[in-house]
C-alpha cells in the first residue's frame, strides 16, 4: 500500500475492548427528567472516553480515518427525550472531552467522519421525515465541529417514481441546512437506487462531494466503469476524496452480493485506487481486523521471477522480497535446482496483487516453452 492511501475504520470494534454505549427511548421515558439527564450525561461521558480510545487505537495501528457512531450522543434528536449537551449535568466538561478528542485527531492527522443512519432522507415527500433528517444532520455536524470531522455522508434517498424530481427535491432542501452542515455534507451512490451517473449532476451543481462506493456501483451499475466513476468522483472534492469499499459475503456469484463480508477480498480493491491520495473506509463486519488485514495485504507486493542459471537454463519462482530471494539462490539455500547451477541472474520480475495470484502465474509461466519465456524476458519487465 502506498502511503497516500489511508484506510478507515467504521464506528465500532470487534475484538478490542473499546465500547460505545447507547440507550432506548422507552427506557428514558421511564425516568424522571433529572434521572434521565444524569443517565444521558453518564453515557455521553463514557462515549467521549471511548472515542479518545478509538482515536488512539487508530493512530497506534496506522489506521488513517475513524467513522463516528451516529449515536455518540444517545437519543440526541428524539422529539420526546432529546436534549442539548449544556442541559446535562457537567455539560461543559462533556464538551471539553469531545473537543479534546478533536484536538488529538488534528495533532495526529487522523481523519474523522460521520455517516448518518438510513432514516436521514433529504428528498422524502413527507415533510416530517425531512425535518427529522435536518435535525439529525445539524446534530451530527455540531459534534463534527467539536471533533474535527470533515465529512457527514448520506445517501441520495428514494426515487419515488421519478429520479429527476426526487433529486430536485434533494437540492431544494439543501437551502434549509446550516453552513456547518453544508461544508461537510457528502452524498454516496447506493446499491439499489442512485448510481454515480445519477448523482454526479447534483454533486456538480450543488458543490457536494461524491463518496464513491465501489461495491454499491458493482451491484447497481450504470454506464461508468470503476475507473471512470473514480475519476469523476475525485473532481467533486475540494479536499481529500473519501471512498467506500466492501466485498460480498457469498462472492459476486452469490444470491445477494449486496451483503457485506467480514473481510475485504483484495481483488475487489480497484487497481486505479492504488496510486491515489484518498481515504478508503472499510465496510466489513470484522471491523478493525478487516482494516488491519487489508492494510497488510496492500503493503505486500508479490512477484513472479525468472532466473538465468550458469548453464543458461531458466528457473521460475515467486517472492515478496526480490533482493533477499536472489541472495538465497546465490548462496545455494533457495532451491536444489539452482544450487548446482550457480551463479544465477534475475532476468525477469512481474508484480502480482496477492501470493495466490503469484502462485497461479508461476504455474502458467512454468508451462511456457523456452521460446515463450525468452519472449517474456525481452519485454524487460524487471521493476
Amino acid at each position: 500500500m502506498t502511503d497516500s492511501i489511508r484506510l478507515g475504520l467504521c464506528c465500532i470494534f470487534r475484538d478490542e475492548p473499546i465500547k460505545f454505549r447507547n440507550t432506548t427511548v422507552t427506557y428514558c421515558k421511564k425516568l424522571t427528567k433529572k434521572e434521565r439527564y444524569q443517565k444521558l450525561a453518564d453515557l455521553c461521558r463514557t462515549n467521549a472516553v471511548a472515542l479518545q480510545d478509538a482515536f488512539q487505537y487508530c493512530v497506534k495501528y496506522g489506521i488513517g480515518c475513524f467513522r463516528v457512531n451516529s449515536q455518540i450522543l444517545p437519543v440526541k434528536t428524539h422529539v420526546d427525550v432529546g436534549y442539548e449537551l449544556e442541559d446535562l449535568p457537567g455539560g461543559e466538561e462533556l464538551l471539553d472531552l469531545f473537543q479534546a478528542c478533536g484536538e488529538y485527531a488534528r495533532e495526529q492527522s487522523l481523519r474523522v467522519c460521520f455517516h448518518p443512519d438510513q432514516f436521514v432522507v433529504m428528498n422524502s415527500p413527507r415533510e416530517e421525515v425531512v425535518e427529522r433528517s435536518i435535525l439529525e444532520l445539524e446534530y451530527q455536524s455540531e459534534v463534527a465541529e467539536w471533533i474535527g470531522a470533515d465529512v457527514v455522508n448520506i445517501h441520495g434517498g428514494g426515487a419515488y417514481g421519478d429520479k429527476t424530481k426526487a433529486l430536485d427535491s434533494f437540492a431544494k432542501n439543501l437551502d434549509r441546512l446550516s453552513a456547518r452542515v453544508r461544508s461537510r455534507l457528502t452524498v454516496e451512490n447506493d446499491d439499489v437506487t442512485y448510481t454515480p451517473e445519477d448523482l454526479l449532476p447534483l454533486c456538480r451543481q450543488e458543490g457536494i462531494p461524491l463518496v464513491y462506493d465501489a461495491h454499491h456501483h458493482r451491484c447497481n451499475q450504470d454506464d461508468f466503469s470503476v475507473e471512470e466513476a473514480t475519476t469523476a468522483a475525485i473532481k467533486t472534492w475540494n479536499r481529500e476524496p473519501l471512498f467506500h469499499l466492501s466485498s460480498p459475503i457469498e462472492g459476486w456469484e452469490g444470491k445477494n452480493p449486496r451483503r457485506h463480508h467480514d473481510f475485504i477480498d483484495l481483488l475487489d480493491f480497484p487497481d486505479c485506487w492504488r496510486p491515489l491520495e484518498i481515504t478508503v473506509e472499510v465496510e466489513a463486519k470484522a471491523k478493525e481486523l478487516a482494516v488491519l488485514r487489508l492494510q497488510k495485504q496492500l503493503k505486500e507486493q508479490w512477484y513472479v521471477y525468472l532466473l538465468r542459471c550458469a548453464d543458461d537454463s531458466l528457473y521460475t519462482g515467486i517472492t515478496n522480497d526480490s533482493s533477499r530471494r536472489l541472495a538465497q539462490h546465490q548462496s545455494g539455500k533457495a532451491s536444489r535446482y539452482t544450487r548446482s547451477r550457480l551463479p544465477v541472474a534475475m532476468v525477469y520480475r512481474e508484480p502480482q496483487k496477492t501470493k495466490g495470484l503469484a502462485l497461479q502465474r508461476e504455474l502458467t509461466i512454468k508451462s511456457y516453452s523456452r521460446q515463450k519465456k525468452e519472449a517474456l524476458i525481452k519485454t524487460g519487465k524487471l521493476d
Side-chain angles (χ1 to χ4, degrees):
M1 181 177 68
T2 63
D3 293 336
S4 60
I5 296 177
R6 66 169 105 203
L7 299 182
L9 172 60
C10 298
C11 301
I12 60 174
F13 294 79
R14 198 187 82 167
D15 289 356
E16 286 297 310
I18 300 173
K19 306 295 181 184
F20 296 93
R21 296 177 61 198
N22 200 357
T23 188
T24 65
V25 172
T26 301
Y27 177 76
C28 287
K29 285 182 175 180
K30 294 178 181 179
L31 305 176
T32 65
K33 186 175 182 179
K34 182 178 180 180
E35 291 171 337
R36 183 169 75 246
Y37 276 13
Q38 185 59 60
K39 174 66 174 178
L40 291 168
D42 292 343
L43 291 175
C44 290
R45 184 174 294 103
T46 296
N47 288 349
V49 172
L51 188 63
Q52 180 72 28
D53 291 342
F55 285 3
Q56 290 175 348
Y57 178 92
C58 289
V59 170
K60 179 179 179 180
Y61 290 99
I63 298 171
C65 179
F66 185 75
R67 181 194 295 176
V68 180
N69 191 313
S70 294
Q71 292 300 314
I72 191 76
L73 304 186
V75 299
K76 171 69 168 60
T77 61
H78 193 274
V79 63
D80 295 323
V81 296
Y83 55 93
E84 297 297 331
L85 199 66
E86 57 263 29
D87 295 334
L88 304 181
E92 290 186 7
E93 177 196 353
L94 293 173
L95 179 58
D96 288 343
L97 288 173
F98 282 108
Q99 289 178 335
C101 292
E103 184 62 30
Y104 177 80
R106 282 187 289 272
E107 290 174 354
Q108 301 296 328
S109 298
L110 176 69
R111 194 174 194 182
V112 186
C113 62
F114 281 86
H115 192 359
D117 297 326
Q118 297 281 8
F119 67 80
V120 174
V121 182
M122 285 298 292
N123 63 353
S124 173
R126 297 170 55 197
E127 175 59 22
E128 65 272 21
V129 173
V130 176
E131 289 179 353
R132 288 200 301 270
S133 298
I134 292 172
L135 194 62
E136 188 70 13
L137 288 172
E138 293 290 348
Y139 140 60
Q140 294 193 33
S141 295
E142 180 181 19
V143 181
E145 198 169 61
W146 301 343
I147 64 176
D150 72 328
V151 169
V152 177
N153 179 53
I154 62 175
H155 288 179
Y160 308 109
D162 187 334
K163 285 186 180 182
T164 301
K165 184 178 178 181
L167 290 179
D168 284 344
S169 295
F170 186 109
K172 290 176 182 177
N173 285 327
L174 292 175
D175 292 336
R176 301 166 65 178
L177 300 173
S178 69
R180 172 164 65 190
V181 179
R182 282 301 305 266
S183 66
R184 295 172 170 84
L185 189 69
T186 63
V187 64
E188 172 191 352
N189 61 295
D190 64 76
D191 52 5
V192 175
T193 307
Y194 290 109
T195 68
E197 192 172 20
D198 292 328
L199 293 175
L200 279 164
L202 171 73
C203 293
R204 293 164 181 152
Q205 175 185 320
E206 300 297 333
I208 303 175
L210 176 65
V211 172
Y212 175 50
D213 189 310
H215 185 170
H216 288 172
H217 191 200
R218 287 161 176 156
C219 293
N220 184 21
Q221 297 181 7
D222 53 23
D223 291 334
F224 285 161
S225 66
V226 171
E227 293 79 9
E228 290 168 335
T230 294
T231 299
I234 288 173
K235 291 179 180 179
T236 66
W237 285 84
N238 61 0
R239 53 199 184 276
E240 181 177 300
L242 185 147
F243 294 165
H244 288 176
L245 185 68
S246 47
S247 291
I249 191 169
E250 297 174 345
W252 289 106
E253 302 304 320
K255 292 182 180 179
N256 185 5
R258 294 164 54 196
R259 295 174 58 219
H260 292 183
H261 199 288
D262 287 352
F263 295 93
I264 301 296
D265 183 337
L266 188 58
L267 295 179
D268 290 331
F269 195 99
D271 284 341
C272 62
W273 288 9
R274 289 177 178 259
L276 302 177
E277 293 185 7
I278 57 174
T279 298
V280 178
E281 286 194 296
V282 178
E283 296 188 325
K285 294 179 180 179
K287 297 301 179 180
E288 76 274 19
L289 302 185
V291 178
L292 295 176
R293 177 184 289 188
L294 180 60
Q295 185 184 75
K296 181 180 179 182
Q297 289 175 325
L298 288 172
K299 285 180 178 178
E300 287 184 341
Q301 179 67 75
W302 284 89
Y303 298 91
V304 183
Y305 64 89
L306 282 167
L307 300 178
R308 192 179 300 281
C309 302
D311 63 357
D312 201 38
S313 62
L314 296 174
Y315 173 88
T316 309
I318 70 167
T319 183
N320 61 359
D321 188 333
S322 299
S323 298
R324 180 177 58 84
R325 191 59 174 164
L326 180 58
Q328 289 173 337
H329 277 290
Q330 299 288 29
S331 66
K333 298 178 180 179
S335 163
R336 182 179 300 176
Y337 182 87
T338 57
R339 188 185 307 153
S340 60
R341 293 170 171 81
L342 298 175
V344 297
M346 189 170 289
V347 291
Y348 180 81
R349 187 178 64 185
E350 179 183 296
Q352 294 292 326
K353 291 181 183 178
T354 66
K355 183 179 181 180
L357 289 176
L359 287 167
Q360 292 176 25
R361 181 62 172 158
E362 178 190 25
L363 290 175
T364 298
I365 293 177
K366 282 183 174 179
S367 70
Y368 285 176
S369 65
R370 173 63 182 251
Q371 183 180 10
K372 197 168 182 178
K373 289 178 182 177
E374 292 288 359
L376 268 185
I377 295 169
K378 285 183 179 179
T379 66
K381 202 167 188 178
L382 202 57
D383 296 315

PDB file of all heavy atoms in Angstrom, residues 260-274:
ATOM      1  N   HIS A 260     -22.494  -7.571   3.047  1.00  0.00           N
ATOM      2  CA  HIS A 260     -21.063  -7.387   3.268  1.00  0.00           C
ATOM      3  C   HIS A 260     -20.398  -8.595   3.913  1.00  0.00           C
ATOM      4  O   HIS A 260     -20.959  -9.243   4.803  1.00  0.00           O
ATOM      5  CB  HIS A 260     -20.821  -6.164   4.154  1.00  0.00           C
ATOM      6  CG  HIS A 260     -21.156  -4.873   3.488  1.00  0.00           C
ATOM      7  ND1 HIS A 260     -20.953  -3.651   4.087  1.00  0.00           N
ATOM      8  CD2 HIS A 260     -21.680  -4.597   2.259  1.00  0.00           C
ATOM      9  CE1 HIS A 260     -21.339  -2.684   3.270  1.00  0.00           C
ATOM     10  NE2 HIS A 260     -21.793  -3.240   2.161  1.00  0.00           N
ATOM     11  N   HIS A 261     -19.183  -8.840   3.515  1.00  0.00           N
ATOM     12  CA  HIS A 261     -18.342  -9.904   4.067  1.00  0.00           C
ATOM     13  C   HIS A 261     -17.665  -9.415   5.342  1.00  0.00           C
ATOM     14  O   HIS A 261     -17.622  -8.215   5.623  1.00  0.00           O
ATOM     15  CB  HIS A 261     -17.280 -10.278   3.022  1.00  0.00           C
ATOM     16  CG  HIS A 261     -16.654 -11.629   3.248  1.00  0.00           C
ATOM     17  ND1 HIS A 261     -15.768 -11.878   4.265  1.00  0.00           N
ATOM     18  CD2 HIS A 261     -16.783 -12.798   2.559  1.00  0.00           C
ATOM     19  CE1 HIS A 261     -15.378 -13.143   4.212  1.00  0.00           C
ATOM     20  NE2 HIS A 261     -15.989 -13.724   3.183  1.00  0.00           N
ATOM     21  N   ASP A 262     -17.119 -10.364   6.120  1.00  0.00           N
ATOM     22  CA  ASP A 262     -16.337  -9.991   7.306  1.00  0.00           C
ATOM     23  C   ASP A 262     -15.061  -9.251   6.918  1.00  0.00           C
ATOM     24  O   ASP A 262     -14.588  -8.378   7.655  1.00  0.00           O
ATOM     25  CB  ASP A 262     -15.952 -11.236   8.113  1.00  0.00           C
ATOM     26  CG  ASP A 262     -17.131 -11.838   8.863  1.00  0.00           C
ATOM     27  OD1 ASP A 262     -18.205 -11.217   8.878  1.00  0.00           O
ATOM     28  OD2 ASP A 262     -16.973 -12.932   9.429  1.00  0.00           O
ATOM     29  N   PHE A 263     -14.504  -9.612   5.762  1.00  0.00           N
ATOM     30  CA  PHE A 263     -13.229  -9.055   5.325  1.00  0.00           C
ATOM     31  C   PHE A 263     -13.345  -8.536   3.888  1.00  0.00           C
ATOM     32  O   PHE A 263     -14.365  -8.713   3.233  1.00  0.00           O
ATOM     33  CB  PHE A 263     -12.115 -10.105   5.423  1.00  0.00           C
ATOM     34  CG  PHE A 263     -11.809 -10.538   6.831  1.00  0.00           C
ATOM     35  CD1 PHE A 263     -12.423 -11.652   7.378  1.00  0.00           C
ATOM     36  CD2 PHE A 263     -10.922  -9.819   7.610  1.00  0.00           C
ATOM     37  CE1 PHE A 263     -12.155 -12.045   8.681  1.00  0.00           C
ATOM     38  CE2 PHE A 263     -10.635 -10.194   8.907  1.00  0.00           C
ATOM     39  CZ  PHE A 263     -11.251 -11.316   9.455  1.00  0.00           C
ATOM     40  N   ILE A 264     -12.276  -7.923   3.418  1.00  0.00           N
ATOM     41  CA  ILE A 264     -12.211  -7.433   2.044  1.00  0.00           C
ATOM     42  C   ILE A 264     -11.409  -8.418   1.197  1.00  0.00           C
ATOM     43  O   ILE A 264     -10.317  -8.838   1.583  1.00  0.00           O
ATOM     44  CB  ILE A 264     -11.525  -6.053   1.982  1.00  0.00           C
ATOM     45  CG1 ILE A 264     -12.281  -5.030   2.830  1.00  0.00           C
ATOM     46  CG2 ILE A 264     -11.394  -5.585   0.530  1.00  0.00           C
ATOM     47  CD1 ILE A 264     -13.678  -4.731   2.355  1.00  0.00           C
ATOM     48  N   ASP A 265     -11.975  -8.805   0.078  1.00  0.00           N
ATOM     49  CA  ASP A 265     -11.233  -9.568  -0.917  1.00  0.00           C
ATOM     50  C   ASP A 265     -10.335  -8.586  -1.660  1.00  0.00           C
ATOM     51  O   ASP A 265     -10.823  -7.623  -2.256  1.00  0.00           O
ATOM     52  CB  ASP A 265     -12.204 -10.242  -1.886  1.00  0.00           C
ATOM     53  CG  ASP A 265     -11.504 -11.131  -2.914  1.00  0.00           C
ATOM     54  OD1 ASP A 265     -10.299 -10.917  -3.174  1.00  0.00           O
ATOM     55  OD2 ASP A 265     -12.172 -12.019  -3.464  1.00  0.00           O
ATOM     56  N   LEU A 266      -9.032  -8.797  -1.615  1.00  0.00           N
ATOM     57  CA  LEU A 266      -8.100  -7.854  -2.213  1.00  0.00           C
ATOM     58  C   LEU A 266      -8.384  -7.623  -3.699  1.00  0.00           C
ATOM     59  O   LEU A 266      -8.114  -6.544  -4.229  1.00  0.00           O
ATOM     60  CB  LEU A 266      -6.654  -8.338  -2.027  1.00  0.00           C
ATOM     61  CG  LEU A 266      -5.566  -7.353  -2.432  1.00  0.00           C
ATOM     62  CD1 LEU A 266      -5.682  -6.049  -1.661  1.00  0.00           C
ATOM     63  CD2 LEU A 266      -4.186  -7.971  -2.234  1.00  0.00           C
ATOM     64  N   LEU A 267      -8.967  -8.614  -4.356  1.00  0.00           N
ATOM     65  CA  LEU A 267      -9.297  -8.454  -5.768  1.00  0.00           C
ATOM     66  C   LEU A 267     -10.391  -7.409  -5.981  1.00  0.00           C
ATOM     67  O   LEU A 267     -10.568  -6.898  -7.088  1.00  0.00           O
ATOM     68  CB  LEU A 267      -9.733  -9.788  -6.361  1.00  0.00           C
ATOM     69  CG  LEU A 267      -8.669 -10.884  -6.421  1.00  0.00           C
ATOM     70  CD1 LEU A 267      -9.252 -12.157  -7.016  1.00  0.00           C
ATOM     71  CD2 LEU A 267      -7.458 -10.423  -7.218  1.00  0.00           C
ATOM     72  N   ASP A 268     -11.141  -7.073  -4.912  1.00  0.00           N
ATOM     73  CA  ASP A 268     -12.175  -6.046  -5.017  1.00  0.00           C
ATOM     74  C   ASP A 268     -11.611  -4.639  -4.859  1.00  0.00           C
ATOM     75  O   ASP A 268     -12.333  -3.657  -5.077  1.00  0.00           O
ATOM     76  CB  ASP A 268     -13.264  -6.283  -3.962  1.00  0.00           C
ATOM     77  CG  ASP A 268     -14.104  -7.511  -4.260  1.00  0.00           C
ATOM     78  OD1 ASP A 268     -14.251  -7.845  -5.448  1.00  0.00           O
ATOM     79  OD2 ASP A 268     -14.610  -8.142  -3.304  1.00  0.00           O
ATOM     80  N   PHE A 269     -10.349  -4.525  -4.461  1.00  0.00           N
ATOM     81  CA  PHE A 269      -9.731  -3.213  -4.321  1.00  0.00           C
ATOM     82  C   PHE A 269      -9.333  -2.732  -5.716  1.00  0.00           C
ATOM     83  O   PHE A 269      -8.466  -3.329  -6.360  1.00  0.00           O
ATOM     84  CB  PHE A 269      -8.499  -3.284  -3.423  1.00  0.00           C
ATOM     85  CG  PHE A 269      -8.028  -1.932  -2.941  1.00  0.00           C
ATOM     86  CD1 PHE A 269      -8.374  -1.485  -1.677  1.00  0.00           C
ATOM     87  CD2 PHE A 269      -7.259  -1.108  -3.749  1.00  0.00           C
ATOM     88  CE1 PHE A 269      -7.960  -0.232  -1.225  1.00  0.00           C
ATOM     89  CE2 PHE A 269      -6.843   0.128  -3.316  1.00  0.00           C
ATOM     90  CZ  PHE A 269      -7.201   0.575  -2.049  1.00  0.00           C
ATOM     91  N   PRO A 270      -9.962  -1.666  -6.204  1.00  0.00           N
ATOM     92  CA  PRO A 270      -9.689  -1.241  -7.590  1.00  0.00           C
ATOM     93  C   PRO A 270      -8.218  -0.885  -7.815  1.00  0.00           C
ATOM     94  O   PRO A 270      -7.615  -0.154  -7.026  1.00  0.00           O
ATOM     95  CB  PRO A 270     -10.574  -0.008  -7.757  1.00  0.00           C
ATOM     96  CG  PRO A 270     -11.675  -0.190  -6.751  1.00  0.00           C
ATOM     97  CD  PRO A 270     -11.013  -0.851  -5.579  1.00  0.00           C
ATOM     98  N   ASP A 271      -7.671  -1.382  -8.894  1.00  0.00           N
ATOM     99  CA  ASP A 271      -6.280  -1.066  -9.244  1.00  0.00           C
ATOM    100  C   ASP A 271      -6.064   0.441  -9.361  1.00  0.00           C
ATOM    101  O   ASP A 271      -5.023   0.964  -8.972  1.00  0.00           O
ATOM    102  CB  ASP A 271      -5.897  -1.732 -10.572  1.00  0.00           C
ATOM    103  CG  ASP A 271      -5.656  -3.222 -10.421  1.00  0.00           C
ATOM    104  OD1 ASP A 271      -5.426  -3.679  -9.297  1.00  0.00           O
ATOM    105  OD2 ASP A 271      -5.708  -3.927 -11.454  1.00  0.00           O
ATOM    106  N   CYS A 272      -7.074   1.126  -9.896  1.00  0.00           N
ATOM    107  CA  CYS A 272      -6.905   2.566 -10.145  1.00  0.00           C
ATOM    108  C   CYS A 272      -6.866   3.381  -8.861  1.00  0.00           C
ATOM    109  O   CYS A 272      -6.529   4.568  -8.881  1.00  0.00           O
ATOM    110  CB  CYS A 272      -8.013   3.077 -11.066  1.00  0.00           C
ATOM    111  SG  CYS A 272      -9.686   2.913 -10.397  1.00  0.00           S
ATOM    112  N   TRP A 273      -7.216   2.768  -7.720  1.00  0.00           N
ATOM    113  CA  TRP A 273      -7.146   3.485  -6.447  1.00  0.00           C
ATOM    114  C   TRP A 273      -5.738   3.488  -5.856  1.00  0.00           C
ATOM    115  O   TRP A 273      -5.405   4.354  -5.052  1.00  0.00           O
ATOM    116  CB  TRP A 273      -8.096   2.860  -5.433  1.00  0.00           C
ATOM    117  CG  TRP A 273      -9.543   3.100  -5.694  1.00  0.00           C
ATOM    118  CD1 TRP A 273     -10.115   3.651  -6.810  1.00  0.00           C
ATOM    119  CD2 TRP A 273     -10.634   2.783  -4.821  1.00  0.00           C
ATOM    120  NE1 TRP A 273     -11.473   3.691  -6.697  1.00  0.00           N
ATOM    121  CE2 TRP A 273     -11.831   3.168  -5.488  1.00  0.00           C
ATOM    122  CE3 TRP A 273     -10.724   2.201  -3.557  1.00  0.00           C
ATOM    123  CZ2 TRP A 273     -13.100   2.996  -4.908  1.00  0.00           C
ATOM    124  CZ3 TRP A 273     -11.980   2.032  -2.972  1.00  0.00           C
ATOM    125  CH2 TRP A 273     -13.151   2.422  -3.646  1.00  0.00           C
ATOM    126  N   ARG A 274      -4.929   2.512  -6.219  1.00  0.00           N
ATOM    127  CA  ARG A 274      -3.650   2.306  -5.537  1.00  0.00           C
ATOM    128  C   ARG A 274      -2.716   3.522  -5.555  1.00  0.00           C
ATOM    129  O   ARG A 274      -2.078   3.801  -4.546  1.00  0.00           O
ATOM    130  CB  ARG A 274      -2.940   1.076  -6.109  1.00  0.00           C
ATOM    131  CG  ARG A 274      -3.618  -0.239  -5.704  1.00  0.00           C
ATOM    132  CD  ARG A 274      -2.956  -1.441  -6.345  1.00  0.00           C
ATOM    133  NE  ARG A 274      -3.577  -2.692  -5.912  1.00  0.00           N
ATOM    134  CZ  ARG A 274      -3.082  -3.516  -4.992  1.00  0.00           C
ATOM    135  NH1 ARG A 274      -1.946  -3.220  -4.390  1.00  0.00           N
ATOM    136  NH2 ARG A 274      -3.695  -4.628  -4.674  1.00  0.00           N
TER     137      ARG A 274
END
